[in-house]
Amino acid sequence: MPHQLQGEQAAALAAREIAPPLVTHLYTADPSAHVFDGRIYIYPSHDIEAGIAFNDNGDHFAMEDYHVLSLDHPGAPATDHGVALHVRDVPWAARQMWAPDAACKDGKYYLYFPAKRADGLFQIGVAVGDSPTGPFVPEAQPIAGSYSIDPCVLADDGVHYMAFGGIWGGQLQKYRDNAYDAAHEEPLDHEPALGPRIARLSDDMKQFAEAPRELVIVDQQGRPLPAGDHARRYFEGPWLHKYGGKYYLSYSTGDTHCICYATADDIHGPYTYQGRILSPVIGWTTHHSICEFDGRWYLFYHDSSLSQGVTHLRSVKMAELHYDADGAILPIDPYPG
Ligand code: FUB
């Protein structure tokens, strides 16, 4: 099994502190956290062992349903609210319920989730509930014009925006100007990297109100990060939040396994690369969210420590996040010591 903890890695980590997962009775990943009515709700993927061999397409991530977790406050035990949505109840979806997110508007709760259609293409769907824990009733069709994976929704002065997209298994490299072409791959190393996409949501929260646009991440000189800059370029797992009047776009760098961030004055960017938030965790993937509770900020993330390094059996965790006086995020070492 690739990406399992090898002897040396296990020995190096033995001397370090490994934060406990929020729950241990099931594997959870890709935590999207929100505070609704004073309680922390986490919308994770629910990892399972489906017996599918590891590949770059991510077929071994064969998740079938979602559970919602909640906490009274940081440090409190997490409650698992049971199955909130199952793939068999989503008319358009065939398999692979990947990283979800949720939003609240006018007393309704919206669960956004990517899944593969029967033809193997990812799209993003929405399901609606009366409670933050569901159950959620899916729309019959995916969001028109959606593609790829990893939706994240930011409410910005009452207007909701969805950012999304992930390359390789998430298929973003197959799209240019919102159109699919199987021949497309990641751009050449010297070409601008692909960025996540963003679209404003319609008033009913069930559609895009506009065609998705690409978010560009630039370096300190204003030059778009090139596709060959694997240490910094966008790969998957976008998260948008606001702090000190600025927009923060944080994301996974994929094959270099870091969570990095960039900031902008406008939600549509350009976003200027700022640095790393989280160094690599145990397991191939890294995925996070950032959320404020009671005036303090928290990073939600996952790793594969509970499964001893099985990359598709992950567990969600949280850590306090700090900003310096200029709004820079102080990097977090998931295994201090
Ligand atoms: O959980 C499946 C995929 O792995 C997510 O969609 C990616 O962000 C990565 O965490």
Side-chain angles (χ1 to χ4, degrees):
M1 174 73 62
H3 303 296
Q4 257 181 312
L5 274 193
Q6 300 302 318
E8 245 177 61
Q9 193 185 11
L13 284 171
R16 291 169 171 252
E17 198 184 309
I18 300 186
L22 294 183
V23 292
T24 55
H25 65 288
L26 74 178
Y27 288 111
T28 54
D30 308 325
S32 291
H34 294 275
V35 174
F36 295 133
D37 288 331
R39 192 172 173 84
I40 300 170
Y41 291 91
I42 303 170
Y43 299 85
S45 302
H46 174 198
D47 282 355
I48 54 168
E49 179 53 79
I52 298 170
F54 177 97
N55 61 34
D56 279 348
N57 212 24
D59 292 333
H60 47 303
F61 295 101
M63 299 84 101
E64 296 178 345
D65 63 14
Y66 296 111
H67 288 227
V68 181
L69 308 177
S70 74
L71 282 76
D72 260 343
H73 55 81
T79 303
D80 171 8
H81 296 273
V83 176
L85 180 69
H86 196 284
V87 68
R88 66 172 163 256
D89 298 322
V90 183
W92 62 268
R95 60 187 181 278
Q96 288 176 285
M97 305 284 265
W98 284 14
D101 193 17
C104 173
K105 184 180 176 188
D106 299 334
K108 292 271 184 206
Y109 294 85
Y110 299 86
L111 180 71
Y112 298 96
F113 58 95
K116 272 189 186 161
R117 308 184 314 211
D119 66 2
L121 280 193
F122 270 114
Q123 279 203 270
I124 296 168
V126 57
V128 188
D130 293 320
S131 147
T133 58
F136 296 97
V137 178
E139 292 293 294
Q141 298 293 333
I143 295 174
S146 69
Y147 53 91
S148 193
I149 59 166
D150 291 356
C152 98
V153 175
L154 175 70
D156 188 23
D157 289 334
V159 181
H160 289 80
Y161 292 89
M162 181 190 290
F164 63 94
I167 62 180
W168 300 359
Q171 305 173 344
L172 186 66
Q173 70 279 9
K174 302 294 180 190
Y175 291 84
R176 300 288 187 278
D177 298 325
N178 300 325
Y180 177 86
D181 186 333
H184 288 319
E185 296 299 347
E186 227 189 320
L188 298 176
D189 281 359
H190 67 277
E191 294 175 339
L194 295 172
R197 310 296 146 93
I198 191 167
R200 185 165 52 85
L201 292 175
S202 56
D203 284 346
D204 70 2
M205 303 287 279
K206 295 178 181 174
Q207 296 295 334
F208 289 160
E210 60 185 9
R213 304 186 220 178
E214 188 162 352
L215 296 178
V216 176
I217 302 169
V218 299
D219 65 16
Q220 298 286 337
Q221 285 71 45
R223 295 173 302 223
L225 295 184
D229 186 351
H230 288 214
R232 300 190 296 174
R233 64 97 165 79
Y234 177 81
F235 188 92
E236 64 183 1
W239 188 258
L240 287 170
H241 77 280
K242 273 179 99 173
Y243 179 85
K246 283 203 180 289
Y247 295 90
Y248 286 63
L249 166 66
S250 38
Y251 56 92
S252 162
T253 59
D255 53 351
T256 50
H257 315 288
C258 289
I259 300 290
C260 293
Y261 77 106
T263 58
D265 294 322
D266 185 309
I267 194 167
H268 292 107
Y271 283 83
T272 304
Y273 180 85
Q274 301 295 346
R276 256 186 206 186
I277 297 176
L278 185 69
S279 8
V281 294
I282 298 167
W284 198 97
T285 69
T286 185
H287 190 120
H288 78 299
S289 64
I290 293 170
C291 175
E292 185 182 14
F293 182 86
D294 227 2
R296 295 165 87 153
W297 288 84
Y298 297 89
L299 176 78
F300 296 78
Y301 65 102
H302 70 221
D303 79 359
S304 297
S305 57
L306 183 65
S307 67
Q308 297 296 308
V310 180
T311 212
H312 57 282
L313 296 178
R314 302 160 290 180
S315 300
V316 301
K317 302 185 168 191
M318 66 188 285
E320 190 163 358
L321 181 113
H322 298 278
Y323 301 83
D324 74 10
D326 297 323
I329 294 177
L330 305 186
I332 291 177
D333 178 350
Y335 310 113

